[in-house]
Amino acid sequence: QIQVVESGGDSVQAGGSLRLSCTVSGRILSIDVMGWYRQIPGQSRELVATVTDGGVTKYADGVLGRFTISRDNAKNMVYLEMDNLKPEDTAVYYCNAEVINWSRSKIDSWGKGTLVTVSS
């Protein structure tokens, strides 16, 4: 069993900052890629940022330069620092982790999401 729990979502004004956190727990042998995705009601879930276990990062064009993803491999946690937030960043943010469990199977694990609301 793998559990993924996000926290840090809130309501902020445009230009503000938020830090999202995600904890992955369970029968974890290792975690490959960890990432953040977001979904606006009525739209498809989209990639925000990912980070490999080696620290290689990838960002969506719309957040590049404003968001920073990082991870703590010892704690199985991933973070998303969001600066200069815009109303179009309003969405439910989901954490994703590619977990290798004790059986050496890869499990694509998702959290239930945390809501970020940015007002103008």
Side-chain angles (χ1 to χ4, degrees), residues 19-119:
R19 187 187 195 219
L20 304 184
S21 300
C22 171
T23 301
V24 184
S25 61
R27 296 183 175 184
I28 300 169
L29 186 61
S30 63
I31 303 176
D32 288 346
V33 180
M34 303 182 82
W36 290 94
Y37 293 73
R38 66 188 182 187
Q39 188 168 21
I40 299 169
Q43 298 187 20
S44 301
R45 190 172 298 185
E46 63 177 13
L47 178 145
V48 175
T50 61
V51 57
T52 69
D53 55 353
V56 177
T57 58
K58 175 182 177 182
Y59 295 92
D61 289 343
V63 306
L64 193 61
R66 300 188 298 121
F67 291 10
T68 303
I69 190 170
S70 62
R71 65 188 278 176
D72 184 331
N73 291 331
K75 296 181 179 180
N76 293 331
M77 294 187 69
V78 63
Y79 309 94
L80 186 68
E81 183 72 38
M82 304 185 292
D83 297 317
N84 190 22
L85 282 160
K86 303 176 180 180
E88 52 263 42
D89 295 318
T90 296
V92 178
Y93 284 71
Y94 296 91
C95 176
N96 173 262
E98 295 180 355
V99 176
I100 309 299
N101 67 8
W102 290 3
S103 301
R104 298 187 181 275
S105 298
K106 179 175 284 191
I107 301 175
D108 193 28
S109 305
W110 292 89
K112 295 182 178 180
T114 186
L115 177 63
V116 173
T117 303
V118 185
S119 58

